[in-house]
Amino acid sequence: SLGTVQRQLAAMVTIVKARAPARGRGGGRSCSLGVAEAARRGRASTAQPSPSSTPHASSSSSSSSRGARRGLACSAKPSKGFGMLEWFGGGGSVVSQGNVVKSAKFVYNQLWRAMTQELAPQDSTGSYARPKDPFVSDSVEGAGDPARVFYLYTGNACPWCHRCLLAIALLGIEDRVKVVELADDAEKASRGGWIIREGARDPLFGARDLRQVYDGAAAAPGGEGFRGRCTAPLLVDGATKRVVSNNSTNIMRRLNDIAIANGNAAGAAAVDLFPADLAPEIEAAGAKLYTSVNNAVYQCGFSTSQSAHDEAARKLFQALDDLEAELAGGRYLLGDRVTAADLMLLPTLCRFDACYAVLFKCACRRIRDYPNLHQWMQRMFALPGSVEAFDADGCKRSYFQQLFPLNPSGIVPYSPSAWQDMGIDPANRIPQNQASEHLHIRNPSAATPTSAN
């Protein structure tokens, strides 16, 4: 029981405190003090204005140097922590080694489970159950008004944000949609994990973190602050300072509406990520990708039971096998031109080998082991603006340093660069004048864009 564990831990702490001084006479702890003392004595001896010609001064300097060397030699000994496993387990031990290990595993597991559930809510099977996004919209007020500006709050590490940044880049609407950069830092955020990135500024509310943006843009009529999860991406209308949407797929549709309305107003053609003739296919692809790939990697990583992890992993790698076969017949997921479906897949795959395969335990195969998927990913990053929309190394650091329950040490796996982890050459680019050959282009005379969610 927890009470028994607490009593055992208290007994262990008592023993540690009692034995620590004895270990200090010859153990690692006294060595580290020896280094500090040797350094202090060394500084003191050099600070005293003793004539260097006297024998006493020479002897003092030599003694201090020998002390420093001894301290440094001691510091090289490996640390054994408290050495509990050496103390316990003997015939007269108060607590057996087995109980030490069991107690430590129990406490660590309970803390991990509680922190994981706070970060990623779980269902009864131990599988991650992503909450629904509360804000979606069927249209964008003022989409065709070139003076109306929208603000997208987005963080580099987040794949849901990444798809929206890709949409802005391919649609060419940077003048209509301004990006407010977020950084993930749960220690500084007042709720959730997002703060306004250092050096950036929130132009609408002067907020310090995303919770304050939600309080301003989604406050209840009575003036109370927003209650709920403060997630990114978040699209806000600059004119009304109200939320348009915080669902990434819905945001992509609204961004597409803005691009087409821009084209209609200017009498110019526009990129269309949701072409009407492919609407059913895009809808079906988006649903499958979400269930079997985009969300499945998070279910693998945040599962708190082996069975939940295994089920998510089987689903994930079956979907990747299917995508590998489908891409054998075309450049992109739904033919020879990019659609929103491609933008839904890329952010997950480009994080896979560097982050998900290791941190989320999606370890059966890498994306580099799928020739068609890997070539498709290189093709996607060759599109104009695609590389600029993603800081690969910053993303990798964020996953390993900020997802504390999954990686308490914060150690980031070494590699020369996250682009090398992916096996992608970011310098391999499609010339700007050839980009239209890879995109669906909509003429200004076409019908009004769809209002589907």
Side-chain angles (χ1 to χ4, degrees), residues 96-141:
S96 71
Q97 175 177 296
N99 281 338
V100 173
V101 174
K102 288 178 183 178
S103 299
K105 287 173 67 176
F106 176 81
V107 171
Y108 190 94
N109 185 270
Q110 292 303 306
L111 288 172
W112 162 75
R113 188 179 300 274
M115 291 296 294
T116 299
Q117 291 172 346
E118 287 285 336
L119 181 64
Q122 309 281 304
D123 65 18
S124 60
T125 70
S127 179
Y128 173 41
R130 186 181 295 276
K132 290 185 177 180
D133 301 314
F135 300 102
V136 294
S137 61
D138 294 333
S139 61
V140 184
E141 182 182 348

Side-chain angles (χ1 to χ4, degrees), residues 301-340:
F302 290 128
S303 290
T304 53
S305 71
Q306 185 68 55
S307 60
H309 169 82
D310 291 350
E311 180 180 351
R314 282 192 292 267
K315 175 174 59 178
L316 168 65
F317 284 100
Q318 182 58 60
L320 293 178
D321 291 345
D322 293 344
L323 288 166
E324 172 71 8
E326 292 168 11
L327 280 168
R331 291 194 300 185
Y332 300 103
L333 291 183
L334 299 178
D336 287 337
R337 295 175 187 268
V338 173
T339 67

Side-chain angles (χ1 to χ4, degrees), residues 16-307:
V16 166
K17 288 181 177 178
R19 297 196 181 190
R23 273 178 58 85
R25 285 192 292 271
R29 183 169 296 185
S30 65
C31 289
S32 63
L33 292 175
V35 173
E37 179 65 15
R40 186 190 67 76
R41 291 177 180 176
R43 287 195 300 271
S45 66
T46 56
Q48 293 173 355
S50 302
S52 60
S53 59
T54 64
H56 176 73
S58 175
S59 173
S60 174
S61 174
S62 175
S63 174
S64 174
S65 176
R66 286 194 299 272
R69 285 196 296 271
R70 284 197 300 271
L72 290 173
C74 285
S75 70
K77 291 183 178 179
S79 170
K80 297 182 180 180
F82 290 121
M84 289 187 294
L85 296 182
E86 293 181 1
W87 299 343
F88 300 131
S93 178
V94 176
V95 183
S96 71
Q97 175 177 296
N99 281 338
V100 173
V101 174
K102 288 178 183 178
S103 299
K105 287 173 67 176
F106 176 81
V107 171
Y108 190 94
N109 185 270
Q110 292 303 306
L111 288 172
W112 162 75
R113 188 179 300 274
M115 291 296 294
T116 299
Q117 291 172 346
E118 287 285 336
L119 181 64
Q122 309 281 304
D123 65 18
S124 60
T125 70
S127 179
Y128 173 41
R130 186 181 295 276
K132 290 185 177 180
D133 301 314
F135 300 102
V136 294
S137 61
D138 294 333
S139 61
V140 184
E141 182 182 348
D145 180 358
R148 193 152 182 168
V149 177
F150 299 83
Y151 293 87
L152 181 69
Y153 292 82
T154 178
N156 174 69
C158 172
W160 314 100
C161 292
H162 188 182
R163 56 170 62 177
C164 297
L165 292 173
L166 288 169
I168 291 174
L170 292 182
L171 293 169
I173 53 173
E174 293 87 347
D175 58 331
R176 296 291 312 282
V177 182
K178 304 299 183 183
V179 173
V180 182
E181 296 183 19
L182 304 172
D184 48 336
D185 190 334
E187 295 181 27
K188 295 181 180 179
S190 57
R191 188 193 307 161
W194 294 111
I195 62 172
I196 304 299
R197 186 184 62 79
E198 185 177 352
R201 173 182 168 274
D202 173 28
L204 293 181
F205 306 100
R208 296 186 301 276
D209 63 14
L210 194 58
R211 180 195 66 82
Q212 293 181 339
V213 176
Y214 270 87
D215 280 348
E224 295 183 4
F226 173 73
R227 293 179 179 272
R229 291 165 62 88
C230 301
T231 60
L234 175 70
L235 183 64
V236 179
D237 186 336
T240 64
K241 294 188 177 182
R242 302 298 292 175
V243 171
V244 176
S245 179
N246 72 340
N247 174 278
S248 61
T249 303
N250 185 247
I251 289 174
M252 290 172 65
R253 288 188 180 276
R254 303 294 75 87
L255 297 176
N256 200 65
D257 291 351
I258 293 171
I260 292 173
N262 260 2
N264 289 339
V271 174
D272 188 358
L273 296 175
F274 293 88
D277 59 325
L278 291 175
E281 289 87 345
I282 294 173
E283 190 74 21
K288 180 179 180 180
L289 290 174
Y290 173 80
T291 302
S292 302
V293 181
N294 306 142
N295 197 51
V297 293
Y298 280 87
Q299 289 179 321
C300 287
F302 290 128
S303 290
T304 53
S305 71
Q306 185 68 55
S307 60

